[in-house]
Amino acid sequence: MKISYSFGVVDFLHFGHLEALRVAKDDADLHIFGLLNDEAANSWMGVVVSSYEERKAVLNALEYVDQVMQQDSVDPTQNLKKLHQKYPDAEISLFHRGDWKALPADTYIRSIGGKVVPTKYYERLAPENILKMLQAEENNRTDMPFSNLISTKANTLLALQPLVRKSEIEPIMIVLGKEFYGAETVAAKKVAEKFSGKRIVVRSSSSNEDCYEQSNAGHYKSILNVDSTRSVEVENAVREVFASYGAAYSDLQKEQVLIQTHTPCVQISGVVFTRDIKQNRPYYVINYDDTGSTDSVTSGAGGKTIFVSRDIALGDLDQPWGQLLDAVHELEEILNGITLDIEFAITTEGKIVIFQVRPLAANYRFKRIAKDETYYQLKNRAKHEYANLQNKAGSSSMKLSDMAFWNPAEMIGSNPKCLDYSLYRQIITKFAWNEGLVPMGYRRVQEELMYKIGNKPYISLDYSFQALTPASVPEPLLDKLLEYYRAQLEKNPTAHDKIEFEIVFNCYDFATEHHIRNLLNAGFTDEEVQKLQTALYTLTDRCVKEYFATLQKDKGALERLEEVRSYIAGKRSFIKGDYKTLIDGFKDLVAAISQFGTPQFARQARYAFMANMFCRSLVEMGYWTEQDQETFLGSIVTVAKELERDMEAFSRGMMTRLEFDRRYGHLRSGSYDISQERYEKLEFAQGKNREQEAIQCTTETRLSAAAVQGVDRALKKIGFSVSAEDFLAFLKSALEEREKFKFEFTKSLSDALELLVYLGECLAIPRSEMAYLEIQDILASEYYETQENVRKFFNTIIEQRKAEYDQNSALVLPDIIWDAKDLDMVKIGEARPNFITGKCIEGPVCLIDSSTRPESIREKIVVIEKADPGYDWIFSQNIKGLITKYGGVASHMAIRCAEFNLPAAIGCGEKIYDFAAGAQRILLDCANGKIVDKG
């Protein structure tokens, strides 16, 4: 089978498009066109007139296109991976514009035996030329002021060297191919004379590297720290750089290699974009490394990112960023009108060194027709939202985190739709989250836990600190602890998804006495430390002793919730067309979840956290080995293992679909996302042979006698009056019951969403539109007398909310907000992933989305942005490992991976996640905390 794949935006269909589509269709059994979605199209084109659905409709009407496939970025690699997984034996050809010098998917398509086919580009009707004709003065790039200064990397630096005053450019030497080949020794001698024994950098400076339409950034070699006195070392370095130009250059005679002094004493290095490369937003984007490396950012190996709004005054910036952007301003003035990509270093002496200046090619494909002032208004509105938040836990501004405590980023994402957010708020973070903890002995907090800036949900850090503190801690000591916790987190912001483990003293474990002494070095008195230690001990001891009695009470409440759910579910077949009964059913179910579900789940989750801390501290204090902990966690049997067993039985034809759906049909990949179908609506592959052997449950593993004795010694050391056997029973039950409560809790949540799906069907509103409503909208609709009035009411709100949501989606927002300035200077640091197990594995990467089929992830390292309980099906597919963007130490997926002894990196953050998602094969080394691209 022959498959051809082409891709693009196709905003204005013209003759050139038809010719390219015809060529791709010729001699192909199937021609698939990857159509960029609106976000990707806007990021690439700058402005798109037609919507995705309009462009798709045009393509579907053409005889040359067999299928339109949504493409989420300019890079078609992910779609090609999906096609290869679906048609592993097909010959796939990738068609693209013949004027592209570098194609992102080139390496992948060739690795699977496919081929790349360039097609003729119809230049006269290119969108950029249409724009030039319509806006000749604004968009004319050939007549751009100072464009004569932009040439090769070396020539540009030579031209800028005498002009810059606020930065430095290292001494330069250019080696031409015609001067090097055949006279290598002579060339090396000239280098030695020029640089007088200093260390040098040998870098690429090819003719197509730094032009307006493409940069080929990082495409060619650079060799650092070369000894200029060693002829062989210099010759080899120059030869290697020329060789990296490859087949793109048939004649190297006129090509350049750039040689400069190797900059010593580098403190910070990186790249500055003078516009946001993704959406052309008005930011300086600084990607940097502060470890002393000069190539970790440009090589893609690491780094941190800061988005600096272009309307911020340089005097408001911390150093050295104000100094750096002052130097960047100078370059912008010299190269007036050009969006720049600047490679820099800052030395320990505070000097700004410029390594490279080039046009930011991604922004020059098309010029965005929009006013920056519109974006500044949006950003300032977000700042106003933040400024209006009142922190009732202190006089300082509200401190917010997107991944602390109840971690909304993991459960509903960093840009959730309105319904996702309002549901999470109503049933968890409004009041119920704290109501479950108060009976355990924790402090009552009257305030809501979660707040929204733009579309992004945040958790109040101060309210989290308060709620995790024993109620018996006196107010003056609490205030002092809050200040301490804030200071500790400010020193180590990568702990914001680990506050219960690394910041707040919130329960007593076998290492508490060891760690709590650190407070003495932070200005706490012996009396204060003793008061806190006593409060933690009393609370935890009581919780352990009362656990099983509390568990029975919570199970009783959960049974009440199930009664409400079953009653409403029983009526479901009769009320699907009755909009008022659907609204009443939704209201009753949400109220029941808040009363009989969330407080109980919150309590059981806290018991599970205590169990987790006990296990970790047993290892830390030497009572257990790492293997003991893995053995114990491997003995935990939760619904995830039952799902794994049952999905295997179903796939072999040993369980009916009806029985499978009865147990798991309510689950959905995105527990709060109405747009996701439930398991009962999804297709799972099933075999036909029902006579195969029975599926065995996981064999129970038992702790060694030495490990049990270790627990006994630990309990005696801290004075807990409970036997080792009873204590281990508590640990096991706490970890298992948390997952059972969550599983049962999601049944009611899922049914509540289904009632809204039915309500949408009743009102002729698709589920994707219902996602823009909030709970109060649905409850308010019961006051409308007719179904038509409700439909109009909903549609009016949806139209307004969609516009607001789309606007807010453009905001750049930080993971942590300390004050309003963090919205002007957005810092995105490298996260500290939570590595699970001590294993090291290597394998192909599979990035999961809503269209991923279960069988396609087997024997893969799965990469997923957020992973709530609805994604538990992945553990039934024999995956090799897991990487997530969001999630903390005690998150759902962290516990799942420990339970399955699965290597994982949970909560990697944006940069590491993007790195892993873009790789084809990676090494996941949990023991050493590394994720390595293995090509």
Side-chain angles (χ1 to χ4, degrees):
M1 182 180 185
K2 292 184 177 180
I3 297 175
S4 61
Y5 184 94
S6 55
F7 66 99
V9 175
V10 193
D11 197 17
F12 298 105
L13 184 69
H14 57 67
F15 176 77
H17 290 134
L18 290 175
E19 276 298 285
L21 295 172
R22 181 188 63 76
V23 170
K25 174 59 180 172
D26 284 348
D27 199 34
D29 299 303
L30 183 65
H31 174 210
I32 297 173
F33 189 89
L35 182 63
L36 270 67
N37 65 19
D38 289 337
E39 182 179 357
N42 275 299
S43 297
W44 186 24
M45 301 281 284
V47 61
V48 176
V49 175
S50 305
S51 70
Y52 174 85
E53 293 300 330
E54 291 167 337
R55 293 180 284 121
K56 181 180 179 181
V58 171
L59 287 167
N60 279 331
L62 301 179
E63 62 178 312
Y64 301 136
V65 177
D66 296 312
Q67 178 186 331
V68 177
M69 186 176 183
Q70 180 173 308
Q71 186 170 310
D72 296 331
S73 73
V74 180
D75 184 353
T77 302
Q78 291 303 322
N79 278 7
L80 292 170
K81 285 183 177 181
K82 292 176 184 177
L83 287 177
H84 183 54
Q85 290 172 358
K86 187 173 182 179
Y87 305 102
D89 299 322
E91 177 185 327
I92 302 177
S93 298
L94 175 61
F95 289 73
H96 74 100
R97 278 174 44 170
D99 63 333
W100 282 27
K101 297 295 190 298
L103 186 65
D106 183 85
T107 302
Y108 175 73
I109 195 71
R110 297 183 193 281
S111 73
I112 62 172
K115 59 183 179 180
V116 176
V117 182
T119 59
K120 182 179 178 181
Y121 186 56
Y122 207 71
E123 186 69 24
R124 188 173 66 83
L125 293 178
E128 58 263 58
N129 289 334
I130 294 174
L131 285 174
K132 281 180 182 178
M133 287 185 283
L134 294 175
Q135 296 180 303
E137 182 176 345
E138 182 179 357
N139 286 348
N140 188 338
R141 292 198 283 273
T142 58
D143 296 331
M144 190 171 291
F146 300 98
S147 62
N148 59 304
L149 292 180
I150 297 294
S151 178
T152 64
K153 183 188 300 181
N155 290 347
T156 300
L157 290 176
L158 276 173
L160 290 172
Q161 200 169 37
L163 302 177
V164 295
R165 297 289 180 270
K166 298 179 179 179
S167 60
E168 297 180 6
I169 296 174
E170 297 283 9
I172 295 170
M173 179 176 180
I174 299 174
V175 177
L176 294 173
K178 63 183 179 182
E179 298 171 345
F180 179 73
Y181 287 105
E184 289 89 341
T185 304
V186 174
K189 185 177 180 182
K190 290 181 179 178
V191 170
E193 292 172 353
K194 168 76 175 178
F195 293 99
S196 305
K198 294 180 180 177
R199 311 293 291 189
I200 58 173
V201 178
V202 182
R203 310 171 68 198
S204 61
S205 179
S206 70
S207 56
N208 76 342
E209 196 170 344
D210 292 335
C211 54
Y212 290 102
E213 301 299 332
Q214 59 186 7
S215 74
N216 282 322
H219 194 68
Y220 307 119
K221 284 226 172 178
S222 291
I223 302 176
L224 310 180
N225 205 22
V226 176
D227 187 344
S228 64
T229 66
R230 296 175 62 85
S231 295
V232 174
E233 195 173 330
V234 172
E235 289 176 34
N236 287 340
V238 174
R239 188 179 295 107
E240 195 173 340
V241 173
F242 270 129
S244 72
Y245 295 176
Y249 301 88
S250 56
D251 182 8
L252 291 172
Q253 294 296 299
K254 295 181 180 180
E255 293 301 326
Q256 299 175 337
V257 164
L258 167 64
I259 301 177
Q260 289 183 282
T261 303
H262 183 91
T263 304
C265 304
V266 170
Q267 182 179 23
I268 298 172
S269 69
V271 174
V272 179
F273 300 147
T274 59
R275 303 282 298 186
D276 165 36
I277 195 171
K278 290 183 178 179
Q279 296 185 38
N280 207 4
R281 292 168 292 197
Y283 284 95
Y284 294 101
V285 184
I286 308 171
N287 296 301
Y288 71 99
D289 182 289
D290 53 9
T291 65
S293 169
T294 59
D295 70 338
S296 66
V297 172
T298 54
S299 68
K304 305 171 185 176
T305 301
I306 301 176
F307 286 79
V308 181
S309 182
R310 289 181 61 91
D311 65 342
I312 192 171
L314 292 184
D316 293 337
L317 293 174
D318 299 331
Q319 293 302 340
W321 309 121
Q323 182 188 0
L324 172 64
L325 290 186
D326 194 24
V328 169
H329 281 182
E330 181 183 56
L331 290 170
E332 288 184 290
E333 290 171 2
I334 295 171
L335 299 166
N336 183 31
I338 300 178
T339 305
L340 300 174
D341 171 352
I342 303 165
E343 193 176 330
F344 72 92
I346 304 174
T347 68
T348 53
E349 297 176 349
K351 293 180 181 178
I352 308 295
V353 181
I354 302 300
F355 294 143
Q356 187 164 313
V357 179
R358 57 187 169 216
L360 188 53
N363 283 60
Y364 275 90
R365 291 206 55 78
F366 307 105
K367 190 166 184 177
R368 191 175 187 86
I369 306 171
K371 292 182 178 179
D372 287 350
E373 189 57 39
T374 302
Y375 185 84
Y376 296 143
Q377 290 173 1
L378 181 66
K379 181 203 66 175
N380 289 332
R381 189 169 70 204
K383 289 176 65 177
H384 183 70
E385 288 175 2
Y386 173 75
N388 282 340
L389 298 179
Q390 294 184 356
N391 181 11
K392 296 186 179 179
S395 58
S396 62
S397 59
M398 184 80 85
K399 315 298 182 186
L400 301 175
S401 161
D402 69 345
M403 284 173 41
F405 204 14
W406 277 87
N407 197 345
E410 181 186 23
M411 297 305 299
I412 57 177
S414 59
N415 194 38
K417 296 289 176 56
C418 308
L419 182 59
D420 301 43
Y421 178 85
S422 69
L423 259 177
Y424 198 71
R425 172 179 177 263
Q426 181 68 31
I427 66 178
I428 292 182
T429 64
K430 195 172 183 180
F431 300 113
W433 69 280
N434 184 241
E435 290 174 0
L437 303 187
V438 171
M440 300 175 73
Y442 287 101
R443 183 170 296 271
R444 182 174 294 281
V445 178
Q446 303 287 356
E447 310 304 321
E448 293 193 32
L449 184 65
M450 183 172 68
Y451 300 86
K452 185 164 65 170
I453 305 297
N455 295 335
K456 189 177 177 73
Y458 287 97
I459 295 294
S460 165
L461 286 164
D462 281 324
Y463 298 159
S464 299
F465 297 156
Q466 277 190 319
L468 290 169
T469 302
S472 59
V473 170
E475 289 291 334
L477 178 54
L478 173 66
D479 292 340
K480 197 169 181 179
L481 284 168
L482 291 180
E483 288 297 324
Y484 172 76
Y485 295 151
R486 292 182 197 119
Q488 291 299 106
L489 190 54
E490 198 159 11
K491 288 179 190 174
N492 184 17
T494 62
H496 76 111
D497 64 337
K498 309 172 180 68
I499 61 168
E500 301 110 300
F501 288 93
E502 299 184 9
I503 302 296
V504 184
F505 293 102
N506 58 94
C507 70
Y508 197 92
D509 60 52
F510 302 116
T512 298
E513 190 172 343
H514 173 70
H515 291 298
I516 206 167
R517 308 306 296 174
N518 293 330
L519 292 176
L520 295 174
N521 299 323
F524 288 79
T525 66
D526 283 311
E527 182 183 1
E528 289 171 330
V529 171
Q530 188 58 50
K531 280 183 180 179
L532 176 60
Q533 184 169 319
T534 300
L536 292 170
Y537 186 95
T538 302
L539 181 149
T540 308
D541 184 44
R542 175 186 161 201
C543 285
V544 173
K545 289 177 179 176
E546 297 179 354
Y547 167 72
F548 285 104
T550 303
L551 176 62
Q552 292 309 308
K553 291 179 183 178
D554 288 347
K555 282 184 174 181
L558 208 58
E559 288 172 2
R560 292 282 304 278
L561 176 60
E562 177 59 18
E563 289 171 5
V564 175
R565 187 193 73 82
S566 297
Y567 173 74
I568 295 173
K571 298 197 325 179
R572 195 164 58 190
S573 59
F574 303 103
I575 65 175
K576 288 179 68 171
D578 182 349
Y579 79 97
K580 285 196 171 183
T581 308
L582 287 167
I583 293 169
D584 287 341
F586 173 78
K587 179 175 67 174
D588 292 344
L589 197 47
V590 168
I593 293 171
S594 300
Q595 182 178 359
F596 304 121
T598 309
Q600 294 74 19
F601 169 57
R603 191 155 43 242
Q604 293 304 316
R606 183 105 284 268
Y607 282 127
F609 171 83
M610 289 181 177
N612 199 309
M613 287 294 285
F614 278 126
C615 291
R616 289 161 63 98
S617 60
L618 282 167
V619 175
E620 181 183 352
M621 301 308 291
Y623 297 110
W624 272 5
T625 64
E626 291 280 359
Q627 183 58 52
D628 290 331
Q629 181 173 236
E630 287 189 12
T631 298
F632 177 72
L633 293 176
S635 72
I636 305 298
V637 179
T638 68
V639 290
K641 284 184 179 174
E642 293 170 1
L643 173 59
E644 178 189 33
R645 177 200 64 201
D646 290 344
M647 186 168 279
E648 177 68 13
F650 171 76
S651 69
R652 294 188 183 187
M654 299 172 64
M655 176 182 283
T656 66
R657 182 62 195 253
L658 184 64
E659 178 62 16
F660 181 83
D661 286 345
R662 187 186 68 78
R663 298 182 188 182
Y664 308 106
H666 69 280
L667 294 173
R668 65 178 86 226
S669 299
S671 295
Y672 295 82
D673 187 354
I674 194 175
S675 68
Q676 296 295 317
E677 293 279 14
R678 302 194 337 165
Y679 278 20
E680 63 189 9
K681 300 288 181 64
L682 301 180
E683 292 184 14
F684 294 108
Q686 184 175 31
K688 297 180 180 179
N689 182 7
R690 296 179 59 84
E691 303 301 323
Q692 299 183 50
E693 71 276 12
I695 308 301
Q696 298 297 319
C697 293
T698 305
T699 303
E700 184 175 355
T701 53
R702 297 183 63 84
L703 282 172
S704 66
V708 175
Q709 291 169 4
V711 174
D712 187 60
R713 292 199 313 275
L715 290 168
K716 289 177 179 176
K717 178 71 166 61
I718 65 173
F720 272 16
S721 56
V722 59
S723 69
E725 289 74 13
D726 288 344
F727 186 75
L728 287 168
F730 157 71
L731 297 182
K732 190 172 189 295
S733 177
L735 293 170
E736 290 178 345
E737 292 298 335
R738 165 187 157 157
E739 303 310 309
K740 288 180 183 177
F741 270 75
K742 185 183 295 182
F743 183 76
E744 295 300 324
F745 170 85
T746 56
K747 285 183 181 178
S748 297
L749 172 60
S750 184
D751 275 11
L753 287 173
E754 282 303 285
L755 290 172
L756 295 186
V757 172
Y758 297 146
L759 179 60
E761 291 173 355
C762 184
L763 302 172
I765 302 175
R767 62 169 70 209
S768 59
E769 301 282 293
M770 293 291 287
Y772 292 97
L773 296 174
E774 295 181 356
I775 285 182
Q776 61 264 33
D777 307 326
I778 296 157
L779 300 183
S781 67
E782 64 182 349
Y783 297 107
Y784 287 86
E785 292 299 325
T786 69
Q787 183 170 305
E788 178 60 20
N789 285 341
V790 173
R791 187 184 67 80
K792 289 179 179 178
F793 170 58
F794 280 174
N795 281 331
T796 300
I797 292 173
I798 288 168
E799 184 178 359
Q800 177 185 343
R801 290 258 174 74
K802 282 178 72 174
E804 292 175 355
Y805 179 84
D806 290 343
Q807 269 193 332
N808 287 333
S809 293
L811 282 168
V812 178
L813 296 167
D815 300 334
I816 308 173
I817 302 179
W818 291 103
D819 56 46
K821 289 193 298 183
D822 290 332
L823 300 177
D824 285 320
M825 187 173 179
V826 180
K827 299 177 182 178
I828 302 175
E830 283 186 310
R832 182 156 48 94
N834 304 293
F835 288 95
I836 311 298
T837 81
K839 295 181 179 179
C840 179
I841 52 127
E842 182 179 332
V845 171
C846 182
L847 179 63
I848 284 190
D849 59 26
S850 58
S851 65
T852 303
R853 295 185 64 83
E855 59 271 17
S856 68
I857 71 174
R858 291 171 186 161
E859 295 297 326
K860 306 276 179 54
I861 296 175
V862 168
V863 178
I864 187 169
E865 182 170 313
K866 62 184 180 71
D868 66 9
Y871 284 95
D872 276 354
W873 61 266
I874 66 177
F875 297 106
S876 69
Q877 299 302 314
N878 195 30
I879 62 175
K880 297 191 73 170
L882 179 66
I883 295 174
T884 73
K885 183 175 183 179
Y886 298 113
V889 183
S891 67
H892 177 81
M893 280 298 164
I895 290 173
R896 285 287 190 259
C897 292
E899 175 188 345
F900 284 94
N901 199 24
L902 182 76
I906 305 297
C908 289
E910 183 174 341
K911 294 182 74 65
I912 298 175
Y913 170 82
D914 289 345
F915 166 76
Q920 295 180 34
R921 187 178 184 86
I922 59 176
L923 174 76
L924 176 57
D925 183 353
C926 297
N928 295 301
K930 293 180 180 178
I931 302 173
V932 182
D933 188 345
K934 302 298 286 188

